[in-house]
């Protein structure tokens, strides 16, 4: 493998959230526009000064990123549309960082947004993946709940995980969400309530599932020198990886692509997992969070259940995870779910996390996971971000 160029000199800054709503009659274009407007206002950079755009959205179809440039009156000299859902935050960041380093762009707006009207979730599922549809529809199965029930049940059989183990993840994330004004879920969740929730697709119950909603997340990528000149609080990229279609030989997914490249990730950053102050995992279902704990090297494969029993995962705990509340308690605004961990990590490392701040945080990891078919996910990524000096 060729030696990777570092990400030195690149800053990530201006995390913005367009507040989530359960349903909306606005289009994805509107939420993207709101995000860009928020980036302009928060950064002090004129719209004309944003010369690059990296975009992720499911409900933007049939438009793509280039259609958005006309819709918003942008004229970028660098453009990318990253259709990898939950992995798009990491992947947009990596591409934007390289564009800045190469001189192809000065200021990149990374934006993810989706709408959610009454029928849009069903439409998204129907058009999400022909491969997944053809594999699952003949059995009367459709949508992520049955797919992740299959993956969760297989993991439980393989490694002895229980519903209580997954519940610990969901309950601690809800505690974090109570300190996040952007979270849709405002009520505490106990383990007893988690266990008693109605079944959705065995072994998945209600609080294992994210709530689809509408909203947007965004951030800016530019040179570190530019961010300093503008007086923008920013973080630095210490290392980043991505992988697609990893471990295709596994009959059912029990490990993700992070495992293939984690040594490279930590080598880039010059640290080991125990140096990290928090982690933001992609959490469409708790089983995937547990896999990330294992595959990112915090414990060995199959030790995830014991790991969550031994650690507190709130922002005050021994292992802060999804300090915003994650999608399980903030909501899943489509592709914006892939950016949620990124904006939260930036806030944590620039003293903008408010009441949910992790004390003295210097380093954080954001993991991405997207594009699930009927038995596995195809896209994984991770980035280590560090506080600027």
């Amino acid at each position: 493998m060729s030696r990777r160029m570092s990400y030195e000199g690149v800053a990530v800054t201006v995390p913005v959230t367009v507040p989530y709503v359960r349903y909306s009659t606005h289009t994805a274009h509107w939420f993207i526009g709101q995000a860009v407007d928020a980036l302009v206002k928060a950064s002090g950079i004129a719209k004309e000064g944003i010369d690059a755009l990296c975009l992720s959205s499911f409900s933007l179809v049939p438009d793509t990123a280039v259609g958005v440039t006309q819709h918003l009156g942008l004229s970028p000299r660098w453009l990318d549309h990253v259709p990898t859902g939950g992995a798009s935050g990491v992947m947009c960041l990596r591409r934007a960082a390289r564009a800045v380093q190469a001189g192809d762009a000065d200021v990149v707006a990374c934006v993810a947004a989706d709408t959610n009207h009454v029928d849009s979730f069903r439409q998204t599922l129907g058009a999400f993946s022909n491969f997944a549809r053809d594999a699952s529809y003949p059995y009367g199965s459709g949508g992520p709940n049955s797919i992740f029930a299959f993956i969760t049940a297989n993991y439980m059989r393989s490694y002895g995980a229980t519903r209580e183990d997954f519940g610990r993840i969901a309950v601690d994330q809800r505690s974090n969400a109570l300190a996040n004004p952007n979270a849709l879920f405002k009520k505490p969740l106990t383990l007893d309530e988690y266990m008693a929730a109605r079944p959705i697709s065995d072994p998945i119950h209600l609080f294992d599932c994210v709530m689809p909603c509408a909203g947007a997340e965004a951030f800016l990528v530019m040179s570190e020198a530019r961010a300093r000149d503008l007086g923008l609080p920013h973080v630095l990229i210490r290392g980043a990886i991505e992988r697609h279609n990893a471990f295709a030989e596994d009959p059912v997914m029990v490990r993700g692509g992070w495992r293939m490249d984690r040594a490279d990730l930590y080598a880039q950053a010059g640290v080991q997992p125990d140096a990290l102050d928090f982690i933001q995992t992609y959490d469409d279902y708790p089983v995937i969070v547990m896999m990330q704990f294992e595959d990112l090297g915090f414990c060995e494969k199959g030790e995830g259940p014991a790991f969550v029993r031994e650690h507190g995962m709130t922002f005050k705990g021994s292992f802060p995870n999804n300090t915003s509340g994650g999608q399980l308690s903030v909501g899943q605004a489509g592709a914006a779910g892939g950016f949620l961990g990124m904006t939260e990590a930036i806030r944590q490392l620039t003293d903008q996390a408010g009441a949910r701040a992790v004390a003295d945080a210097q380093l954080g990891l954001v993991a991405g996971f997207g594009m699930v078919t009927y038995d596995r996910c195809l896209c994984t990524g991770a980035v280590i971000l560090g506080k600027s000096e």
Side-chain angles (χ1 to χ4, degrees):
M1 185 172 67
S2 60
R3 188 172 183 272
R4 189 191 303 269
M5 177 182 173
S6 81
Y7 292 90
E8 185 177 358
V10 177
V12 191
T13 184
V14 194
V16 302
T17 299
V18 178
Y20 292 7
V21 292
R22 182 71 177 92
Y23 295 107
S24 177
T25 56
H26 292 300
T27 64
H29 305 68
W30 185 89
F31 284 99
I32 295 166
Q34 292 296 301
V36 172
D37 182 61
L39 290 172
V40 167
K41 290 176 179 175
S43 68
I45 299 172
K47 184 175 71 172
E48 293 74 19
I50 297 174
D51 63 347
L53 175 66
C54 195
L55 182 66
S56 185
S57 177
F58 292 119
S59 54
L60 185 63
V61 293
D63 279 340
T64 63
V66 70
V68 168
T69 65
Q70 182 180 31
H71 189 78
L72 300 184
L74 296 169
S75 184
R77 61 190 181 109
W78 182 94
L79 182 70
D80 203 358
H81 192 136
V82 181
T84 57
S88 62
V90 173
M91 293 177 192
C92 280
L93 174 59
R94 294 183 77 235
R95 286 148 180 73
R98 295 309 192 197
V100 169
Q101 287 183 318
D104 290 336
D106 290 327
V107 179
V108 186
C110 295
V111 183
D114 272 301
T115 192
N116 188 48
H117 56 71
V118 173
D119 202 37
S120 63
F121 189 65
R122 182 192 65 80
Q123 291 175 355
T124 297
L125 293 179
F128 184 77
S129 163
N130 286 344
F131 184 81
R133 182 189 62 197
D134 293 347
S136 58
Y137 277 24
Y139 298 96
S141 170
N145 290 330
S146 57
I147 292 170
F148 280 95
F150 178 50
I151 293 172
T152 300
N154 180 68
Y155 183 93
M156 293 171 77
R157 287 191 301 269
S158 299
Y159 302 115
T162 66
R163 285 196 58 231
E164 288 89 345
D165 296 327
F166 299 132
R168 290 180 175 89
I169 294 170
V171 168
D172 280 0
Q173 289 192 195
R174 180 64 61 86
S175 294
N176 290 336
L178 298 179
N180 181 2
N182 290 320
L184 286 181
F185 290 88
K186 305 295 186 184
K187 295 180 180 179
L189 176 66
T190 68
L191 188 56
D192 286 343
E193 289 170 331
Y194 170 91
M195 293 298 295
R198 63 183 173 88
I200 301 297
S201 181
D202 187 56
I204 285 175
H205 288 235
L206 181 64
F207 296 117
D208 294 305
C209 307
V210 296
M211 185 171 75
C213 59
E217 304 281 342
F219 54 88
L220 293 178
V221 179
M222 63 186 70
S223 71
E224 183 181 3
R226 181 74 176 273
R228 289 187 184 279
D229 288 345
L230 292 171
L232 296 174
H234 57 277
V235 300
L236 304 176
I237 306 169
R238 302 301 189 192
I241 55 171
E242 70 177 77
R243 177 69 64 168
H244 306 276
N245 195 31
F247 304 115
E249 68 274 15
D250 291 349
V252 183
M253 180 183 183
V254 292
R255 50 186 176 160
W258 313 280
R259 191 175 190 86
M260 282 189 171
D261 300 294
R262 68 189 186 192
D264 180 18
L265 176 67
Y266 295 123
Q268 290 177 56
V271 300
Q272 292 300 311
D274 59 6
L276 298 169
D277 297 299
F278 62 81
I279 180 173
Q280 312 291 346
T281 54
Y282 188 79
D283 63 320
D284 47 0
Y285 295 83
V287 67
I288 301 304
V289 174
M290 195 172 288
M291 285 188 194
Q292 286 164 87
F293 292 167
E294 297 168 342
D295 293 339
L296 287 163
F298 299 100
C299 58
E300 293 303 317
K301 179 55 63 181
E303 293 179 356
F307 187 84
V308 301
R309 295 167 200 159
E310 295 165 0
H311 289 85
M313 293 165 283
T314 69
F315 64 88
K316 295 180 180 179
S318 60
F319 188 76
N321 171 61
N322 286 338
T323 52
S324 67
Q327 296 175 99
L328 289 171
S329 283
V330 175
Q332 186 187 65
F339 276 52
L340 180 61
M342 197 71 70
T343 54
E344 175 65 12
I346 299 167
R347 290 182 175 118
Q348 287 287 345
L349 295 170
T350 54
D351 303 318
Q352 298 179 67
R356 64 187 184 279
V358 175
D360 302 318
Q362 300 294 314
L363 282 174
L365 186 152
V366 183
F369 173 89
M371 309 313 290
V372 68
T373 54
Y374 71 99
D375 60 351
R376 69 194 64 247
C377 173
L378 297 180
C379 307
T380 55
V383 59
I384 294 176
L385 299 175
K387 198 177 184 75
S388 64
E389 300 298 331

